[in-house]
Amino acid sequence: MQTFRFRLDLQLFNQEKTEPATPKKRQETRQEGQVAMSQELPAAFILLFIFLSFTMLGDYYAERFLRIFGDLFESWLTYDLTTGNLMPLFSSLLIQLLMIIAPVFIIAVVTALISSYYQVGILLTAKPIMPKLSKINPIAGAKQLVSLRSMVEVLKSILKLIIIGFMVYRSLWGQKDTLLALGHMEPLQIFQFTASITLSLGVKIAALLVVLAIFDYIYQKYEYEKSIKMSKQDIKDEHKKSEGDPLIKGKIREKQRRMAIQRMMQNVPKADVVITNPTHFAVALQYDGSQMDAPVVLAKGMDHLALRIRELAKDSNVMIMENKPLARALYDRAEIGEAIPADLFQAVAEVLAYVYRMKGRVKKA
């Protein structure tokens, strides 16, 4: 019973997601569109840079607005609208509006691209927007509504409203005397005061939102790392998939080894001599002075494989010679299909010379 409980505890431990995600898992989740990204970070920076642009490009915006309203009150109200001047009138108004909107649009696009690139880099995938039945599952939707992430999002929204409301209250309360005197001011003064306090509040609120967005990004990154954690079993399974099942790989290697042995055995009848130990090692050599610079190892084996080489050599009338030191040296230092080491030339040459004499042939070693 205790052994069973121990195995169960060990299995549960292996299933706990306690290990950091592997590079392969990170790449897969990235392709799925799952990345550590805060949607609030681009929005906060866009708001901040737009208000800063209002501050730095105030003269530009003032000139454009004055031109629009100047043309409206000085010229356009007295126009006789006809089919001939209607399109030029609206074209001029549209161009001037575009000139006002263009800096805001450019700042928004550039800021969004830079902030998104900083968070996730370059990522093009359509998988997050692909339709999935799980997205319309009411049970899963209800779980998301009461999840920890949803609670954190609600708390963030409440915190932002409280902080922003407090900042607006402090700013307006500090200008209460001016606000009470607005009814006695000229229209231009009222406009200047309103623009000043709006820009000041906008920059302060945007800067605060940037700070909150940075903390949100840190939180999103923490949640992302937590969500992609793997168990020890997951890592083992991934390793098996990427490297291959050891059992299958072993079978493949065994099959490859058998095929290599079969090809090697087919070359034994071509050998000039088989040097043996006599029972533990066997090395088959071939030498053709017109085509080879040195004798070549056609086959070699130990124990059972050495016995098969000797039997095949005997059946093929290949001479078998016993030379224990030479057989062991050739087996250890020479590879199949390669020439023998240079320091073994003399010993092998003596063996081949004896073989040739026995066969009644004369070859130059």
Side-chain angles (χ1 to χ4, degrees):
M1 184 66 181
Q2 291 180 351
T3 303
F4 173 75
R5 184 176 298 173
F6 172 76
R7 290 179 179 176
L8 181 60
D9 292 340
L10 181 60
Q11 184 178 6
L12 292 175
F13 175 75
N14 288 335
Q15 293 298 329
E16 291 182 358
K17 298 184 181 299
T18 58
E19 305 300 316
T22 61
K24 185 175 183 297
K25 176 65 176 294
R26 293 179 182 276
Q27 183 64 25
E28 290 177 352
T29 55
R30 181 178 174 84
Q31 293 300 323
E32 293 289 336
Q34 301 177 21
V35 291
M37 182 176 183
S38 171
Q39 300 293 340
E40 298 182 7
L41 197 62
F45 274 111
I46 289 172
L47 187 64
L48 176 63
F49 288 132
I50 286 177
F51 274 106
L52 290 177
S53 72
F54 289 155
T55 303
M56 294 182 291
L57 303 176
D59 295 338
Y60 171 83
Y61 288 114
E63 179 185 353
R64 295 294 171 182
F65 276 113
L66 289 174
R67 181 177 300 179
I68 290 178
F69 286 105
D71 292 340
L72 175 64
F73 290 110
E74 292 179 3
S75 304
W76 297 346
L77 292 180
T78 60
Y79 269 15
D80 292 330
L81 294 179
T82 63
T83 56
N85 62 17
L86 183 61
M87 289 304 298
L89 177 65
F90 279 101
S91 298
S92 175
L93 178 61
L94 180 61
I95 291 173
Q96 293 188 45
L97 289 175
L98 288 176
M99 293 295 292
I100 295 175
I101 298 173
V104 176
F105 179 77
I106 293 173
I107 290 172
V109 172
V110 173
T111 304
L113 291 176
I114 293 176
S115 58
S116 297
Y117 176 78
Y118 172 78
Q119 293 186 81
V120 300
I122 299 177
L123 177 61
L124 300 175
T125 178
K127 290 187 177 181
I129 61 175
M130 295 294 290
K132 292 182 179 179
L133 294 177
S134 59
K135 294 182 178 180
I136 59 176
N137 187 348
I139 298 177
K143 290 181 179 179
Q144 291 181 358
L145 289 176
V146 296
S147 64
L148 178 62
R149 180 181 290 270
S150 299
M151 297 297 295
V152 171
E153 294 297 328
V154 171
L155 291 176
K156 285 194 304 182
S157 300
I158 295 174
L159 179 63
K160 286 191 292 184
L161 286 175
I162 293 174
I163 296 176
I164 292 172
F166 178 75
M167 291 181 61
V168 173
Y169 167 77
R170 285 293 303 272
S171 298
L172 295 179
W173 184 257
Q175 299 291 334
K176 61 181 183 301
D177 295 334
T178 307
L179 289 171
L180 293 174
L182 287 178
H184 305 287
M185 292 182 180
E186 297 292 331
L188 181 59
Q189 292 177 323
I190 296 175
F191 176 78
Q192 290 176 343
F193 170 76
T194 305
S196 174
I197 196 170
T198 301
L199 289 177
S200 176
L201 268 175
V203 172
K204 291 178 181 178
I205 292 173
L208 174 64
L209 291 178
V210 167
V211 174
L212 294 178
I214 291 174
F215 281 106
D216 180 66
Y217 172 70
I218 296 173
Y219 170 75
Q220 296 294 341
K221 192 171 183 63
Y222 165 77
E223 283 292 321
Y224 171 74
E225 293 294 335
K226 182 180 177 181
S227 65
I228 65 173
K229 277 188 175 181
M230 305 173 66
S231 64
K232 295 182 182 295
Q233 187 61 41
D234 292 336
I235 296 177
K236 291 180 181 178
D237 293 340
E238 181 185 286
H239 181 73
K240 285 183 179 180
K241 290 180 181 179
S242 59
E243 299 295 332
D245 192 328
L247 182 60
I248 297 177
K249 289 176 66 177
K251 291 182 179 179
I252 293 175
R253 285 196 296 266
E254 178 63 22
K255 186 175 182 180
Q256 291 174 342
R257 188 179 70 86
R258 290 179 180 178
M259 293 175 64
I261 292 175
Q262 184 178 2
R263 289 194 298 267
M264 180 184 71
M265 289 303 192
Q266 292 175 353
N267 292 327
V268 172
K270 303 176 184 178
D272 292 316
V273 63
V274 172
I275 302 175
T276 65
N277 196 22
T279 58
H280 294 296
F281 299 96
V283 180
L285 300 178
Q286 181 189 38
Y287 178 64
D288 186 348
S290 61
Q291 298 179 359
M292 303 176 184
D293 296 328
V296 174
V297 177
L298 294 183
K300 68 176 184 177
M302 183 175 62
D303 296 333
H304 177 69
L305 190 57
L307 177 60
R308 290 180 59 190
I309 292 174
R310 291 197 304 271
E311 290 176 350
L312 186 58
K314 185 177 180 181
D315 294 340
S316 304
N317 295 322
V318 176
M319 185 170 290
I320 301 174
M321 291 193 60
E322 179 182 339
N323 190 324
K324 296 181 181 180
L326 182 58
R328 182 60 184 265
L330 288 171
Y331 182 86
D332 290 338
R333 299 173 55 192
E335 297 298 330
I336 298 173
E338 297 182 359
I340 63 173
D343 57 339
L344 298 179
F345 281 179
Q346 182 64 34
V348 172
E350 293 176 359
V351 171
L352 290 175
Y354 175 77
V355 171
Y356 297 150
R357 287 196 302 268
M358 293 295 294
K359 290 183 177 181
R361 297 184 299 170
V362 177
K363 287 188 177 182
K364 293 183 180 180

